[in-house]
């Protein structure tokens, strides 16, 4: 037997409770750290759970940010520098990653505040998270303002991918479970995964 | 030691291999079945792994669809009827859910083809998946054409939420792991979850 929560229930629900519920109902989410830097070299690290695949050719990934939150440092830096990094979480760093969501002032780097380490690769100005097993270098492509609720969608193109060498399978599938990537649900719940199986391409 | 895959490697990669890789690197994904119906009553069911939270007030969820794939039945139906359903997968139905990605002709309902059952609730014209433990009734709100690669973003508002009664926690968090919701990675890999923990709201 199922419980029903209606639109009216949602409207009348206390704000924080509704946020927990609505953030839970969409299913498990990709959770990553986005690393940026401003023109003065001040680094920033922020956690996002709205990363979504847009396309493979060109390789595009998007994420959603609120305009009125700590994440504006991320937005300002991306627009200034044009590059950013996406870094997977694992069991060793999810607590520090979560802590980056605290409202640190701009002059405090979340790297310093949480003890995560910056890592710089080749010509990428934006910092990677050294403790992350799967890291992406991204180039900013497009900002889309979602007028429906004033959130902002950022689309970026993947420029470089870094991952542990035993995780790539013959057909291109990257075994992120083997790399220890965690997933999240709601606003604050972290989970490991256990593979059921890979299924073949579906045919009629 | 990590492997690096560069932009040049990606461009030169065989198309299917690149699709597997790029679909893997964004982390674990929400995977759901979207149920729709057309004006003649012909039902459709399609699997999507691009569901993302847009906001809690109003409660908004989006997903991305390719314009040139089987999913156009989903789009046409959503635009015709204005309502659709989002249904979580669990271990009992993920194989049938995956099978809905085969290119069935419009006159074949994926419900019939895969053995999943329709369920109708109150005034919602769109069918739910009876075997799904967490079900959302959605109202179409906005279509955004992503010019960067011709994909389409659909934003909808949650009208009703249905879930097993022992899954809702005091603070609004819905325990989707307890409901048996599965997650996916890449194009075809299905996973169960194991909770690490819920973390408190982060403060400086």
């Amino acid at each position: 037997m199922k419980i029903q929560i209606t639109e009216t229930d949602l409207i009348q629900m206390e704000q924080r409770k509704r946020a927990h519920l609505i953030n839970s109902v969409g299913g498990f989410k990709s959770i990553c750290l986005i690393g940026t830097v401003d023109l003065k070299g001040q680094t920033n690290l922020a956690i996002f759970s709205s990363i979504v695949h847009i396309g493979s050719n060109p390789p595009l990934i998007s994420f959603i940010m609120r305009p009125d939150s700590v994440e504006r440092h991320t937005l300002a830096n991306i627009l200034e520098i044009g590059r950013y990094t996406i870094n997977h979480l694992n069991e060793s760093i999810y607590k520090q990653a979560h802590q980056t969501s605290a409202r640190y002032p701009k002059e405090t780097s979340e790297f310093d505040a949480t003890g995560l380490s910056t890592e710089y690769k080749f010509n990428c100005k934006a910092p990677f998270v050294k403790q992350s097993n799967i890291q992406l270098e991204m180039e900013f492509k497009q900002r889309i303002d979602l007028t429906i609720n004033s959130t902002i969608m950022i689309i970026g193109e993947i420029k470089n991918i870094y991952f542990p060498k035993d995780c790539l399978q013959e057909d291109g599938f990257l075994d992120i479970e083997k790399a220890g990537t965690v997933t999240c649900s709601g606003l604050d719940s972290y989970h490991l995964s256990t593979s059921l199986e890979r299924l073949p391409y579906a045919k009629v």
Side-chain angles (χ1 to χ4, degrees), chain A:
Chain A
M1 192 57 199
K2 289 199 177 92
I3 299 285
Q4 177 185 13
I5 288 185
T6 66
E7 184 180 12
T8 310
D9 296 333
L10 287 173
I11 290 166
Q12 292 169 349
M13 199 173 277
E14 184 271 318
Q15 184 187 333
R16 193 79 196 156
K17 187 170 180 178
R18 181 176 54 227
H20 276 295
L21 177 60
I22 301 302
N23 272 280
S24 305
V25 296
F28 287 102
K29 301 188 277 191
S30 168
I31 180 95
C32 290
L33 283 165
I34 295 190
T36 58
V37 66
D38 68 11
L39 285 174
K40 295 175 186 161
Q42 171 70 49
T43 59
N44 187 274
L45 191 64
I47 191 164
F48 286 90
S49 64
S50 55
I51 286 134
V52 73
H53 174 83
I54 298 294
S56 294
N57 187 21
L60 301 172
I61 286 179
S62 77
F63 67 98
I64 307 288
M65 56 169 66
R66 288 179 292 164
D68 58 348
S69 75
V70 287
E71 291 128 24
R72 65 188 167 215
H73 302 156
T74 300
L75 177 61
N77 292 352
I78 289 175
L79 297 177
E80 260 180 43
I81 303 291
R83 295 267 163 155
Y84 55 103
T85 70
I86 295 180
N87 307 269
H88 285 214
L89 309 193
N90 57 61
E91 193 172 355
S92 303
I93 61 169
Y94 75 91
K95 289 179 191 179
Q96 291 158 291
H98 185 77
Q99 183 58 31
T100 65
S101 63
R103 290 176 179 270
Y104 295 105
K106 173 130 170 73
E107 61 273 19
T108 300
S109 170
E110 290 80 6
F111 282 100
D112 300 331
T114 63
L116 291 167
S117 312
T118 56
E119 181 181 14
Y120 292 93
K121 297 180 199 265
F122 301 97
N123 294 322
C124 181
K125 285 185 183 160
F128 294 87
V129 176
K130 190 173 185 176
Q131 294 89 343
S132 174
N133 294 331
I134 299 180
Q135 304 158 313
L136 310 178
E137 178 182 342
M138 304 295 301
E139 179 179 78
F140 169 70
K141 297 305 280 188
Q142 194 178 3
R143 167 188 176 158
I144 298 174
D145 291 300
L146 303 180
T147 51
I148 197 166
N149 71 346
S150 303
T151 53
I152 299 161
M153 182 180 189
I154 298 292
I155 300 178
E157 183 170 331
I158 299 173
K159 290 295 167 182
N160 281 291
I161 308 172
Y162 302 91
F163 53 85
K165 74 173 173 166
D166 56 351
C167 291
L168 186 64
Q169 295 186 6
E170 194 74 21
D171 67 352
F173 174 76
L174 188 68
D175 190 341
I176 64 174
E177 180 169 302
K178 195 171 187 178
T181 295
V182 304
T183 178
C184 86
S185 70
L187 290 166
D188 53 25
S189 185
Y190 295 84
H191 307 253
L192 288 172
S193 69
T194 306
S195 176
L196 286 162
E197 67 178 312
R198 288 188 68 192
L199 293 176
Y201 188 81
K203 289 176 183 163
V204 173

